Amino acid sequence: MSEKPSVLFVCVHNAGRSQMAAGWLTHLAGDAVEVRSAGSLPADQVNPAALQAMAEVGIDISTARPKVLTTEAVQASDVVITMGCGDACPIFPGKRYLDWELEDPAGQGVDAVRPIRDDIEGRIRGLLTELGVPAATAGAAHTG
């Protein structure tokens, strides 16, 4: 049995984009992918608008906590997806790096966060296809 892929989502505060991405990947891949998220300057809590936007599509990220980005987390991941962390993200040979340019939901209401959430969902579905991991269809509350 092959080892499951590991994905790390990184943004500055680990409170919005990276938490939504981790929530989507966990929701759609189940335990077929190891999911991590971290931030170069983690916030105290996950963005309430991100929590609400994800809850609207049936994904609960309320237990998520922003975590500091560590060298170990990057080394342990097959794919590292950055979302505006810039030079703070360490680079290691042999890792696959993607940079997703997404609007920062910090300080925005849920109306502004919904399109970001939906953009992330599409990117996660594409990532699953690239990884050869089938997306779960049962329980997917959001269709686009």
Side-chain angles (χ1 to χ4, degrees), residues 3 9-10 34 38 51 60 63 75 101 107 134 139:
E3 209 175 300
F9 296 101
V10 182
E34 188 175 342
L51 290 172
D60 181 7
T63 60
Q75 289 175 317
E101 290 188 26

Side-chain angles (χ1 to χ4, degrees), residues 11-125:
C11 68
V12 175
H13 299 297
N14 189 220
R17 295 166 289 189
S18 56
Q19 293 288 358
M20 289 190 288
W24 272 120
L25 186 54
T26 300
H27 179 74
L28 293 171
D31 61 0
V33 176
E34 188 175 342
V35 181
R36 297 180 178 91
S37 71
S40 51
L41 294 168
D44 294 332
Q45 64 182 20
V46 174
N47 179 333
L51 290 172
Q52 182 180 344
M54 294 300 284
E56 290 174 358
V57 294
I59 301 173
D60 181 7
I61 60 169
S62 64
T63 60
R65 297 288 172 260
K67 294 172 281 310
V68 70
L69 176 64
T70 64
T71 300
E72 294 77 23
V74 176
Q75 289 175 317
S77 301
D78 300 312
V79 181
V80 179
I81 299 175
T82 58
M83 303 171 176
C85 76
D87 295 335
C89 190
I91 304 294
F92 291 96
K95 303 294 175 192
R96 179 172 175 212
Y97 290 88
L98 300 172
D99 185 40
W100 290 357
E101 290 188 26
L102 295 161
E103 188 176 344
D104 188 350
Q108 299 195 58
V110 72
D111 288 341
V113 175
R114 285 183 190 113
I116 301 167
R117 172 202 65 201
D118 295 346
D119 185 359
I120 291 170
E121 177 190 10
R123 292 170 188 249
I124 293 295
R125 289 182 182 279

